[in-house]
Amino acid sequence: MTRAAVLILLGPPGAGKGTQARMLEERFGLVQLSTGDLLRAAVAQGTPAGLAAKAVMDAGGLVSDDIVLAILKDRMAAPDTARGVILDGFPRTPGQAEALDALLAGQGQRIDAAISLDVDDAQMVARVSGRYTCADCGEGYHDQFKQPASAGTCDKCGGTAFKRRADDNAETVGARLTAYHAQTAPLIAYYDGRGVLRRVDGMAAIDAIADDLGSIVHEVTA
Ligand code: ADP
Ligand code: ADP
Ligand code: ZN
C-alpha cells in the first residue's frame, strides 16, 4: 500500500462491518474507526456525550450529528489514523457525509472507496439477534454463524467471558432498521454520485467477503 487509505464500510446493523473491519486491520494495517464502539465507550465512561447518547442508542435511534462528529474528529486526530482508516458505521446521515468530506479536504485526504455490504432485512435481524463478543478482546461471534473453535473459549485471546449488546434485542432491531433505511441508505446514492461506491454481497460467507474487500483495497490503493 503506497499511501494512507480512507475506506468507508456502509451497511445495515449486522451487515458484518465490524467483522470485516477487524480483518482488514490485521491484513492491511489499517485502523478501524467504529463510531458505535466510540459511543459505547463514552456511555461506559459516563462522559457528557455518553450520557446524552445512551437513551437514543437504547431506543435504536441515531445519535445527533453534533455528538458523533465531535467524537469522530477527536479520534481522527490521533496519530495512528495516518496508517489509513476503515470507517465502520460512519457516516450514517447525509450531514455526517458532508462533514466528513470537509474534514478530509482540510487534511488533503479523500475517500478511496465507500463499500456497501448488502444484506437483506431478514438476514440483518438474524445476524444481530445471535451476535456476541469476547469481553476481553472484542472478537465477534454468532450463535449460529460463527462459534469459537472450542466452545466457550475465544479463538483470538483464550478469554472465557463473553458479552451481548443491550441494543441487540428484538424490540430495538426494528427501530435500527428503520433508521438505516431512512437516514443511511441514501448515502449509497451519494457515494455513487462521487464515483467511489463499491457494492459487495454481504450475504456471502465471512471469508468470501474478506476476499472481495481485499481486492478492493488492493485496487484503490495501488
Ligand atoms: P455490524 O458491525 O455490521 O453490525 P458484525 O460484524 O458485528 O456487524 O456482524 C453481526 C453478526 O453477524 C456477528 O455475530 C458476526 O459474527 C456475524 N457475521 C458477520 N458477517 C457474517 C457473514 N458474512 N455471515 C454470517 N454471519 C456473519
Ligand atoms: P450496528 O451497525 O450494529 O447497528 P453500531 O455499533 O455501529 O451498530 O451502532 C450502535 C448504535 O450507536 C446505533 O444504533 C446508534 O444509536 C449509534 N451510532 C453509531 N454510529 C453512529 C453514527 N455514525 N451516527 C449516529 N448514531 C450512531
Ligand atoms: Zn478474545
Side-chain angles (χ1 to χ4, degrees):
M1 204 178 291
T2 51
R3 66 182 170 77
V6 177
L7 304 173
I8 295 171
L9 287 182
L10 280 174
K17 303 181 295 297
T19 302
Q20 296 296 333
R22 288 172 71 98
M23 294 170 83
L24 288 169
E25 275 196 317
E26 278 181 25
R27 185 164 165 202
F28 294 101
L30 299 164
V31 172
Q32 175 192 18
L33 239 153
S34 158
T35 44
D37 285 349
L38 294 170
L39 286 165
R40 280 185 288 279
V43 170
Q45 287 159 16
T47 66
L51 292 173
K54 186 178 186 309
V56 179
M57 293 172 75
D58 286 345
L62 291 183
V63 176
S64 74
D65 285 357
D66 286 355
I67 290 179
V68 174
L69 284 166
I71 284 184
L72 193 270
K73 280 184 186 161
D74 201 41
R75 182 65 186 86
M76 289 279 278
D80 64 335
T81 60
R83 299 200 313 241
V85 292
I86 311 150
L87 298 173
D88 161 8
F90 178 92
R92 246 172 160 107
T93 65
Q96 291 178 15
E98 282 158 24
L100 176 65
D101 285 342
L103 181 68
L104 293 176
Q107 300 175 343
Q109 285 177 295
R110 62 178 166 77
I111 294 161
D112 294 279
I115 306 165
S116 171
L117 286 178
D118 298 327
V119 302
D120 64 35
D121 288 2
Q123 180 70 6
M124 172 266 167
V125 174
R127 296 254 183 105
V128 165
S129 307
R131 164 162 60 190
Y132 64 99
T133 54
C134 172
D136 294 323
C137 74
E139 181 69 5
Y141 293 99
H142 191 281
D143 292 328
Q144 280 169 273
F145 307 136
K146 189 189 165 197
Q147 287 283 20
S150 164
T153 305
C154 175
D155 295 339
K156 286 275 145 136
C157 77
T160 54
F162 296 88
K163 59 183 183 183
R164 287 178 195 264
R165 275 169 47 180
D167 59 341
D168 280 349
N169 60 67
E171 301 83 67
T172 308
V173 164
R176 288 161 67 197
L177 199 48
T178 302
Y180 172 76
H181 286 302
Q183 293 172 270
T184 309
L187 298 183
I188 294 174
Y190 179 87
Y191 288 118
D192 199 16
R194 275 171 174 59
V196 292
L197 180 72
R198 308 297 295 255
R199 300 193 84 132
V200 166
D201 177 13
M203 303 288 285
I206 291 173
D207 288 342
I209 298 170
D211 286 346
D212 287 348
L213 294 180
S215 303
I216 293 172
V217 174
H218 278 302
E219 197 185 307
V220 300
T221 58

